[in-house]
Amino acid sequence: MKGDFSPLPETVTAPRTDPIYNCHGYLTKVPVAAIEPFISTFTNSGETVADLFAGSGMTGLAALRLGRNARLSDISVLGRHIANGYATRVSPQSLRAAAEEVVAKARAALGDLYGTRRQGEERWVEMVRTIWSFTYICPSCGFNLIYFRHLSEGGAPPKKCPDCSAMFVRRQWPRGPDAPIEVVSRSPEGRLTDQPVTDFDRKLIAKAAADVRQKDVPSLEIDEEREMFSRSGLGKAGLVQTRDFFCPRNAIALLELWRAINGVEFEDVRQKLRFAFTAILPRASRRYQWSAQRPLNAQNQTYYIAPVYYEWNVFELFERKVAAALRSDEALFEDSSLFGGAAGADVDYVLASANHVPHLSSESIDYVFTDPPFGSNIFYSDMSLFHEAWLGEVTAHATEAVVHTTGKRKTGAAERYEALLSSAFAEAFRILKPGRYMSVVFGNSSGRIWGLVQRAIRSAGFRATPVHVAILDKGQRSVKGLNSGSESVVTVDLILTIQKPMSAESVPDTHVLRNGDTQRLIAEAIREIPENASHNASHVYARILRKAIQQHYILDELHLTDVLLALRDAGYIANRKTGSLILANSRSATA
Ligand SMILES: C[S@@+](CC[C@H](N)C(=O)[O-])C[C@H]1O[C@@H](n2cnc3c(N)ncnc32)[C@H](O)[C@@H]1O
């Protein structure tokens, strides 16, 4: 380990374009490239890194690439599946051949269900995608309003009932059955063209809906105790089973593909194909949003279904994903000398709650890099049900570190979250060798949650002041908050690196951040906004947090909303497209 931290960047930019990052979605992944500089700074080759909130295992992949061992754990069944899928190395030839074979088997088993007939042609072709629309029923006259058909040219929603002129209120009008609208297929020359759905398509859709195999489609109930049940309005939409998220034909195509994959003889190839399969699930579902310009990915933090959505050919999605998995492998295993053999690094992933990792012995770990859940933003185990239905195992979520805001678990939620983080950091402290380091990725718009994390780190025994604070810029925009003056989602996280003392020592008290200090820090940061850099409000917030931490403050009173209001008062607005701050009287300044 190098004693010098100066090569560590102050800001880690993590554009989400690398082939590893994009291969399989998981909520709030930290890109491998953002983790690598930390692992190389805080460990030597052959040493061991741990991550107790490992999620999709990016820490393990970064460790692997650098020839370090990794001990990963998380409560997430889906996280373990994704991490193992990434780390499984197969020969590209075997993967391609197996993928072709499983697709051919599944196609045959699906039969004619994906069939469509192109206008002016007699032949039968496979549909590439079908566009579906919600139907709303006018409460005044009973008119069936097929949403898509009444969008304006620019994609704006209808304002009135076309029949009786009653005002159209999306959240209040009852829904009728969704309607298939347009089907896209390939011409004999391979060109994609769309045409209105015909009775031929409707008959096949109805045939798929009545198919006895529907009951075999793996599914889990999302019950009303789950936070995401209410947050995504699932009760109202009648979406209680994960299988309800698939159009009838895609449900059967997925089932047959899954069956074929599970029949593959070689375990490593089977595992990689299962990984590619779970990676396509959001897009293979009704969560894949249509937009007039280009498809808008599935929103991975909620179960939202847009009023116009896709039914995308599962086999095409899968073939593309297998190609993406090969690109990810190429990037991941580019230096093959690091893998396998006596000198090869090893990575394991155990299902365990971070507050209790008895499989890791005390003082056995050289470095911890971890990214705990950020309070009440994301409900991992609720969202994972969608994938875990296929994996046949469900995350035990009783100890999940999240702050519930609805239902029975709302009472005492923040206290439980704090207690869990404290014991997780205590476990990290126990397993770390004395004098070694832990880096924690964290982002939240509430100073209260930041204060809670600081206290949890301190009470575990770590030195209170970090040796390094980096800003992790995930390259997303944050527009809404500033222009509306309301709360916004933070798009910039901090990476705090703290040290386990060589011996038990008393941790010096930190100052308490008083209101006056908050105002001073915010005002200073606003004065320091560079004129021509594209900073958004989250960047400014992150800089203030970093300064406050370096000046030993507890962050309880430092909220993003205060920064947004101060920015507004100082005359800043956010560029609608990029989120960059612009001084209202010089609109081009930081656009
Ligand atoms: C921010 S994510 C980590 C993402 C990870 N950095 C990655 O690259 O995929 C937080 C993780 O904490 C996990 N988690 C929540 N409560 C936990 C607990 N009590 N013990 C272990 N893991 C927990 C969630 O399942 C989730 O995977």
Side-chain angles (χ1 to χ4, degrees):
M1 184 188 57
K2 304 151 198 139
D4 172 18
F5 309 139
S6 55
L8 264 185
E10 289 276 292
T11 299
V12 188
T13 13
R16 299 177 163 195
T17 47
D18 72 88
I20 303 174
Y21 191 90
N22 289 325
C23 184
H24 200 309
Y26 187 71
L27 294 149
T28 67
K29 276 197 301 201
V30 177
V32 168
I35 307 173
E36 282 176 342
F38 289 87
I39 295 188
S40 18
T41 302
F42 293 107
T43 60
N44 295 311
S45 183
E47 289 190 338
T48 303
V49 180
D51 184 350
L52 307 186
F53 295 98
S56 61
M58 295 297 113
T59 305
L61 300 186
L64 256 185
R65 275 171 57 85
L66 296 167
R68 274 65 164 174
N69 306 309
R71 301 287 167 257
L72 309 178
S73 54
D74 194 294
I75 53 171
S76 175
V77 168
L78 174 62
R80 183 185 55 179
H81 160 82
I82 299 174
N84 287 340
Y86 266 118
T88 299
R89 206 175 170 195
V90 291
S91 99
Q93 293 79 356
S94 332
L95 189 69
R96 273 193 212 103
E100 258 176 47
E101 206 172 299
V102 295
V103 168
K105 265 195 190 158
R107 268 205 170 102
L110 181 70
D112 62 355
L113 294 183
Y114 265 158
T116 188
R117 211 173 251 153
R118 292 170 55 79
Q119 270 163 7
E121 290 175 26
E122 268 316 294
R123 68 193 183 104
W124 180 103
V125 292
E126 196 176 82
M127 70 100 184
V128 175
R129 56 183 182 263
T130 300
I131 295 161
W132 287 71
S133 168
F134 283 6
T135 305
Y136 293 93
I137 301 166
C138 173
S140 308
C141 71
F143 180 82
N144 274 8
L145 181 139
I146 296 180
Y147 185 83
F148 179 83
R149 298 225 168 99
H150 299 275
L151 290 174
S152 74
E153 288 241 325
K159 293 201 166 68
K160 289 179 176 163
C161 169
D163 209 35
C164 74
S165 295
M167 203 179 355
F168 172 63
V169 190
R170 223 173 96 181
R171 289 182 190 282
Q172 288 172 13
W173 281 31
R175 295 248 314 268
D178 295 357
I181 305 290
E182 272 179 11
V183 57
V184 175
S185 60
R186 269 197 191 84
S187 71
E189 299 75 42
R191 209 160 37 87
L192 291 179
T193 54
D194 54 90
Q195 65 184 46
V197 159
T198 63
D199 281 344
F200 182 88
D201 303 299
R202 283 191 204 93
K203 269 191 199 135
L204 287 175
I205 292 169
K207 182 173 162 191
D211 195 305
V212 288
R213 288 173 288 181
Q214 290 293 350
K215 65 171 183 359
D216 302 329
V217 177
S219 190
L220 285 171
E221 188 185 345
I222 311 170
D223 65 59
E224 34 181 272
E225 293 289 304
R226 298 274 183 172
E227 179 100 9
M228 290 317 296
F229 181 89
S230 44
R231 285 204 190 190
S232 304
L234 297 185
K236 198 168 160 231
L239 294 162
V240 284
Q241 287 281 332
T242 55
R243 76 156 77 84
D244 299 340
F245 286 83
F246 300 105
C247 291
R249 291 180 297 191
N250 270 10
I252 297 184
L254 285 167
L255 172 71
E256 293 298 356
L257 185 58
W258 190 234
R259 283 176 170 164
I261 290 172
N262 286 312
V264 168
E265 185 188 352
F266 297 106
E267 199 193 330
D268 53 351
V269 177
R270 189 168 66 240
Q271 183 157 14
K272 201 70 161 186
L273 293 173
R274 282 167 61 98
F275 165 82
F277 178 91
T278 53
I280 67 165
L281 285 173
R283 285 191 174 184
S285 79
R286 297 161 63 205
R287 293 167 62 198
Y288 197 2
Q289 303 181 60
W290 173 91
S291 106
Q293 287 75 36
R294 63 190 163 84
L296 294 174
N297 229 334
Q299 284 187 10
N300 63 4
Q301 305 184 358
T302 78
Y303 277 113
Y304 175 70
I305 297 181
V308 185
Y309 60 83
Y310 289 108
E311 177 189 17
W312 207 289
N313 184 311
V314 161
F315 306 130
E316 297 219 353
L317 288 175
F318 184 70
E319 281 161 348
R320 271 194 247 163
K321 190 52 79 179
V322 169
L326 288 169
R327 285 196 298 277
S328 160
D329 280 7
E330 226 175 272
L332 201 52
F333 303 119
E334 63 197 345
D335 183 359
S336 54
S337 64
L338 293 175
F339 304 97
D346 84 277
V347 173
D348 66 29
Y349 197 122
V350 171
L351 288 186
S353 184
N355 59 341
H356 188 58
V357 284
H359 62 285
L360 297 175
S361 358
S362 301
E363 304 190 358
S364 64
I365 299 293
D366 300 288
Y367 175 54
V368 172
F369 184 97
T370 200
D371 170 27
F374 303 164
S376 63
N377 296 345
I378 300 172
F379 288 78
Y380 295 88
S381 67
D382 292 7
M383 293 312 302
S384 297
L385 290 172
F386 185 72
H387 294 83
E388 289 174 355
W390 297 85
L391 299 176
E393 192 182 348
V394 179
T395 296
H397 66 293
T399 59
E400 185 168 10
V402 277
V403 182
H404 288 86
T405 58
T406 63
K408 282 189 204 137
R409 297 213 271 169
K410 187 174 163 187
T411 322
E415 291 74 15
R416 277 199 306 278
Y417 174 74
E418 181 163 2
L420 208 130
L421 269 196
S422 299
S423 355
F425 290 147
E427 278 294 72
F429 186 89
R430 176 184 69 76
I431 61 176
L432 260 184
K433 294 177 181 165
R436 303 307 288 257
Y437 298 87
M438 167 168 85
S439 298
V440 181
V441 183
F442 204 80
N444 203 287
S445 55
S446 155
R448 204 173 54 86
I449 302 281
W450 277 104
L452 178 158
V453 171
Q454 287 180 299
R455 279 190 293 277
I457 288 174
R458 262 210 313 167
S459 72
F462 286 97
R463 288 215 164 115
T465 308
V467 295
H468 190 267
V469 184
I471 291 177
L472 172 63
D473 185 350
K474 291 184 282 184
Q476 285 176 332
R477 59 210 179 98
S478 130
V479 183
K480 251 184 13 202
L482 181 58
N483 293 348
S484 64
S486 67
E487 191 58 275
S488 90
V489 173
V490 185
T491 59
V492 182
D493 300 333
L494 294 184
I495 307 179
L496 313 177
T497 302
I498 48 196
Q499 191 181 19
K500 172 172 175 170
M502 284 305 288
S503 58
E505 61 182 42
S506 65
V507 182
D509 263 342
T510 52
H511 299 60
V512 174
L513 188 67
R514 295 178 304 276
N515 205 25
D517 294 316
T518 314
Q519 296 314 327
R520 176 180 59 78
L521 283 168
I522 295 176
E524 260 173 36
I526 292 182
R527 273 200 304 277
E528 285 165 13
I529 295 175
E531 262 203 12
N532 289 315
S534 50
H535 270 49
N536 65 28
S538 295
H539 289 122
V540 179
Y541 184 52
R543 281 165 183 272
I544 299 171
L545 289 168
R546 175 161 63 187
K547 207 175 221 181
I549 292 170
Q550 284 162 343
Q551 294 178 9
H552 311 276
Y553 289 124
I554 282 280
L555 305 176
D556 278 317
E557 299 301 328
L558 199 42
H559 309 296
L560 176 62
T561 12
D562 297 327
V563 176
L564 296 177
L565 290 175
L567 280 167
R568 245 183 17 170
D569 292 347
Y572 281 96
I573 55 170
N575 177 302
R576 291 217 159 264
K577 283 214 178 97
T578 61
S580 302
L581 294 170
I582 314 169
L583 262 179
N585 55 8
S586 66
R587 288 188 170 239
S588 61
T590 56

